[in-house]
Amino acid sequence: MTQERMESGEIDLNRFNQVFFEECGEHLAEMEQILLSLSDGKPDEEQLNAVFRAAHSIKGGAGIFGFQDMTVVTHIMESLLDRVRNHEIPFTTAMIDLFLEAGDVIAMQLAGHRDGAEVRQEAVDQISSKLRQYTDVKTAVIGTDATETGVTTATDTTSDSQPGCRLFEMEFTPDPDIFKRGVRLEQLFLELEQLGELTINAEISDFPDFGTFDPEMCATCWQFTLKTAASEEDIREIFEFVADEDQLDIRVVSDTQLSDALGDSALTVDLAGIQAPSARMAPLPPSDNVTCISPGRRASDRNETAPGAFGRRSGEADSSIRVGVTKVDQLINQVGELVITQAMLAQAAAGVDPVQYEGLHRGLLQLERNTRDLQQSVMSIRLVPISVVFNRFPRMVRDLAAKLGKQVELKTFGDTTELDKGLIEKISDPLTHLVRNCLDHALELPDVRIATGKEAIGTIMLRASQLGGRIVIDVIDDGAGLNRAKIMGKALERGIAVSDSMTDDEVWQLIFAPGFSTADAITDISGRGVGMDVVLRNVHSMGGRVQIASESGKGTRVTISLPLTLAILEGISVSVGEEKFIFPLSSIVESIQPKPENLKTVNGRQVVHVRGEYITVLPLYGMFNLQTPIIEPDKGILVLVEVEGERAAILVDTLMDELQVVIKSLEENYRKVEGTSGATILGDGKVALILDVAALIDLGKNWSDKDAASLIE
Amino acid sequence: MSDDMSERTRIYLAGDWSMDGVTKQMPQLVEQLTSLSGICTDEKLPTNAHHDQSEVDLTRIEKLDACGCQLLAVFLRALQLGGIKPLLNDMPDDIKEKIQFLGFANELELQSDHPRKCA
Amino acid sequence: MQEEQGSLQQQTGTGVGEYLTFTLGSEEYGMDILKVQEIRGYDAVTHIANSPDFLKGVINLRGVIVPIVDMRIKFKLGRADYNEFTVVIIMNVVGRVVGMVVDSVSDVTTLAPEQIKPAPEFGSALDTKYITGLGTVNDQMLILVDIEQLMSSPEMQLMDVPT
């Protein structure tokens, strides 16, 4: 029993840590975004404040969740930023790099906690001492503070002689799980105390029965009074990771009220002293002078799918809720079921007399529209703007360009284009690779560019847009372009068949061949060993396609096109005997009804001659051991497929429909089936397997003549 | 307030009274409650039957956090409901400070001379 | 009988088990009723390529894809006909949903431990390691199957073998 509870507690903890990790990541991204936008200029007050707030929030969260190591760098950084924004230390452009570096170190620590990644302590120490140099230069006062961890030393917001002091009354009703989440309330209260004069009173309003009491559940609520010059915003920030809006009630007592209330000496608590009188929390008289402050920026903080930190400058009131991905996926699944049920109904009703049952048909049509709308709405929940990915490139381009001695301008378009969260995670690597390629290989050095009549500054353009049911992402550079002769030379070296009659498009496809990776094939700058074949494979695994257009001396455009979502596949249904299968549309080149004279046998294998090319014929009935009368390719349909540069002609009985299918797992209750990537449920309620074309082609290679012979038996 | 004649016992609370340890404290607290007052924790008895006093000794507590304070408050309350008046005397300074800082001075009635009002 | 069972139940607490009984050929089997999700008729299945003959295929059970095994083929008992009387027991084993075709489903029977004898090494179609014991109900022998053990065994080929 105890064991169980502890285990579930642990899971909870992880879940809540996850929220911190995510928000911390957002803060880091925001920080970086702002710092980069400065390029070499000076930040305005709002930008400085924003960076300061980001650092402060990370520190606060880290302290509360017990990641003490993360508070060290953030603390020093925060102190320095505070002094800069108070004009105690002048801002220098070198600080941008310094802060960027500090951000990296914090991100490294974050990754250490989240993924167990390695944390290089020397990097932490290094940046800490670098930051400290700045803070130490001007004043000696900071002294020991800077080396202390965890505890805030927010400068000078506390002085209670300031005229701007206000008295806040707060009531904090924590989530019952707050202890299990590992939240250190002590830390939080200490931070509050940094803001001003604080009194704290805990209250257990409804005493639980001891026999059934779960000591890990929080049944306590806290009331505070805080006399401070800080804003409500500042207070809410301290509670950022701990309290939802409705769990924290903050009221400000107007100034006149304040002087009265302050007359009661009980309002301050002397920590060293003893026995605070129990009357000290005497409620202040409720009156018109008590202003209720509406919930602050918490709402936008909880936003998962919006561009998060980037879109949210000064408390935009875009309200949202943070929902677990599994919940969303469950919803998507259920809507998927609904779509299937609707399709089944429609099919069943097709045989019903439309005149006699006009009402039924109208109702079904309405249902179809409604389900489609519902499906679209639900799908859109998972959509995330591509800016999440795009936003990491400015930094990378800046760093890499400096390293390579190139001058580069990065332009992004269509940042708000949305795609599935799962795709966002997967597209990041291929895009990073492509952008690095542009920098590394495509763009020329400034003097070379000038010599060829171009501007010294090269351009990399990232452009995202939605075209029909697909997302198209272009990576465009105005560099040297692909070198046809070199690529063909390299291909020959690698034993890839080439001919001069190949079109440019066909030549460009060669760089996707496995092993065609090293950069010296295309430019003379050394490559990093990761090839375009990896890009292609990643994109394919998402059901996407890659195209290249290039013009010598003008530049190159790589176009990636992706489906909107991973949960739905665009496919074509085919039939073999009694069974139906789904081909992913993205793998199909064309389908043909071959003429007998185009069919040949090479080494005992059947091939089909299509436009000068011989393509192996793979009979699906044979590979899957199916019964069908159609065993001759010229009696059926050949589906020409292509995956990763490999082609095959797959023999099926007939092509049926082009359709969108909801992808289902076979492994959930059964096992992986060779040659398939999953299954779906068709309109008639039957299961159809979705073909994995790459696996089929592999299967086909091993599918020897012996198998073919045994088929005939 | 003339409880001098009644029996005085001493309850020692020890060990980890933080989030990580509260669950482990529960069995012995339940035992303490049962043996002291014979109360069944499921039913609340009227509290005025008699007023035994019991000193609750916190000196052996090694770790205390908000979660532990809450447990302490709930435990003391259960004692009271069982007719035992807990006395928190000779509290170590650090424990006392912690309790006050976390705002539990009221709930724990640090100057626990006057009887607690019933909720 | 009734009384006896009542008192037994008190004595043994958890020892008493409820079993769903079904027939395969001429043999009567029993499986833990708690593993049964539902009983349904046989629907058209989608065949799975290159799978063993007793794996009939997969069906769509309210949006979930469920494999169907025919125990009559697996254990070479009875005739594997499929008609409107063919019964499929849908069960939950090791966190999965699996359907099992049997000749017929007869009853739900309560058995006390005393009514269960250890399985001898005998000529059942089923390997003794999947048999938890033999029960006797109304003079009829009931072979009690450890269905979880059986369905997750490699010979059923229902799960990916970790490599």
Side-chain angles (χ1 to χ4, degrees), chain C residues 39 86 124 138:
Chain C
I39 295 164
T86 308
S124 161
N138 302 333

Side-chain angles (χ1 to χ4, degrees), chain A residues 347-503:
Chain A
Q347 204 157 60
V352 174
D353 179 14
V355 181
Q356 203 178 343
Y357 295 98
E358 197 201 336
L360 175 70
H361 281 277
R362 215 174 325 123
L364 282 171
L365 269 180
Q366 182 69 35
L367 177 67
E368 186 183 339
R369 267 197 302 275
N370 291 349
T371 5
R372 199 176 302 140
D373 290 350
L374 179 63
Q375 186 174 31
Q376 263 172 12
S377 312
V378 169
M379 287 295 179
S380 72
I381 300 178
R382 268 187 69 101
L383 298 182
V384 179
I386 194 141
S387 56
V388 175
V389 179
F390 280 3
N391 279 328
R392 22 174 114 156
F393 292 125
R395 175 73 188 280
M396 194 187 92
V397 169
R398 180 191 145 104
D399 289 356
L400 207 56
K403 206 180 284 171
L404 294 167
K406 294 179 180 177
Q407 292 177 343
V408 183
E409 187 184 3
L410 178 75
K411 292 178 181 166
T412 60
F413 298 93
D415 295 41
T416 53
T417 308
E418 293 184 315
L419 63 163
D420 190 274
K421 191 172 158 61
L423 290 174
I424 284 273
E425 282 153 15
K426 288 192 181 168
I427 196 63
S428 164
D429 276 358
L431 273 186
T432 307
H433 185 79
L434 290 174
V435 173
R436 291 185 78 128
N437 260 357
C438 291
L439 273 161
D440 216 1
H441 311 316
L443 291 177
E444 315 91 328
L445 287 164
D447 48 341
V448 179
R449 290 181 65 90
I450 291 167
T452 52
K454 293 184 188 176
E455 278 187 46
I457 301 174
T459 305
I460 298 176
M461 189 155 50
L462 291 170
R463 189 171 62 193
S465 57
Q466 185 177 346
L467 271 181
R470 298 183 80 81
I471 297 292
V472 177
I473 305 167
D474 290 315
V475 182
I476 304 165
D477 67 67
D478 64 349
L482 294 176
N483 186 326
R484 184 185 163 102
K486 272 192 173 172
I487 292 172
M488 289 181 65
K490 186 75 184 177
L492 269 177
E493 244 174 69
R494 301 258 157 183
I496 301 169
V498 291
S499 78
D500 284 335
S501 65
M502 286 169 85
T503 64

Side-chain angles (χ1 to χ4, degrees), chain C:
Chain C
M1 182 73 188
Q2 197 77 340
E3 248 183 0
E4 190 189 279
Q5 271 190 11
S7 64
L8 272 174
Q9 210 146 8
Q10 273 186 347
Q11 279 171 25
T12 52
T14 57
V16 178
E18 279 196 295
Y19 295 87
L20 178 77
T21 64
F22 55 90
T23 55
L24 284 175
S26 58
E27 291 178 349
E28 187 94 6
Y29 290 84
M31 65 172 279
D32 183 359
I33 189 93
L34 296 175
K35 299 274 182 280
V36 178
Q37 178 182 316
E38 63 187 277
I39 295 164
R40 52 188 286 132
Y42 184 83
D43 272 339
V45 297
T46 296
H47 296 287
I48 298 286
N50 306 321
S51 59
D53 57 351
F54 59 84
L55 185 102
K56 294 310 295 174
V58 291
I59 60 160
N60 159 30
L61 183 69
R62 293 183 294 277
V64 180
I65 293 176
V66 174
I68 303 291
V69 291
D70 192 331
M71 302 310 274
R72 302 172 301 183
I73 301 175
K74 170 72 182 145
F75 297 123
K76 301 184 175 62
L77 296 164
R79 290 220 340 252
D81 291 335
Y82 301 97
N83 51 41
E84 64 263 47
F85 305 113
T86 308
V87 181
V88 181
I89 303 174
I90 305 287
M91 52 202 172
N92 281 296
V93 283
V94 285
R96 286 155 179 258
V97 185
V98 176
M100 172 170 80
V101 183
V102 296
D103 276 328
S104 69
V105 168
S106 0
D107 208 353
V108 177
T109 307
T110 308
L111 285 179
E114 288 77 3
Q115 291 170 283
I116 301 172
K117 304 278 176 291
E121 297 286 334
F122 71 121
S124 161
L126 211 58
D127 195 315
T128 323
K129 69 183 166 197
Y130 306 125
I131 298 178
T132 52
L134 296 178
T136 315
V137 178
N138 302 333
D139 295 333
Q140 239 207 317
M141 189 184 73
L142 199 57
I143 304 167
L144 302 180
V145 188
D146 185 344
I147 203 76
E148 195 136 45
Q149 192 80 34
L150 174 62
M151 288 298 161
S152 54
S153 71
E155 65 175 294
M156 293 305 293
Q157 300 177 39
L158 280 173
M159 292 163 201
D160 280 317
V161 187
T163 45

Side-chain angles (χ1 to χ4, degrees), chain B residues 90-102:
Chain B
D90 305 325
M91 203 188 299
D93 283 348
D94 56 333
I95 295 280
K96 180 177 268 172
E97 261 174 46
K98 195 63 147 291
I99 290 172
Q100 282 169 340
F101 177 62
L102 289 168

Side-chain angles (χ1 to χ4, degrees), chain A residues 337 340 344 579 623-626 664-673 679-681 685-689, chain C residues 44-52 55 58-60 62-67 95-98 157-160:
Chain A
E337 298 319 319
I340 290 161
M344 284 164 68
E579 303 293 329
M623 298 167 78
F624 279 1
N625 276 320
L626 303 165
K664 298 261 173 192
S665 158
L666 268 175
E667 281 134 283
E668 195 178 313
N669 291 316
Y670 184 52
R671 54 192 283 179
K672 183 151 179 59
V673 175
T680 190
I681 295 164
K686 275 196 75 175
V687 179
L689 298 180
Chain C
V45 297
T46 296
H47 296 287
I48 298 286
N50 306 321
S51 59
L55 185 102
V58 291
I59 60 160
N60 159 30
R62 293 183 294 277
V64 180
I65 293 176
V66 174
R96 286 155 179 258
V97 185
V98 176
Q157 300 177 39
L158 280 173
M159 292 163 201
D160 280 317

Side-chain angles (χ1 to χ4, degrees), chain A residues 12-25:
Chain A
D12 275 347
L13 188 62
N14 283 336
R15 187 157 58 86
F16 287 104
N17 282 349
Q18 208 55 44
V19 174
F20 164 68
F21 292 150
E22 274 172 33
E23 297 198 1
C24 186

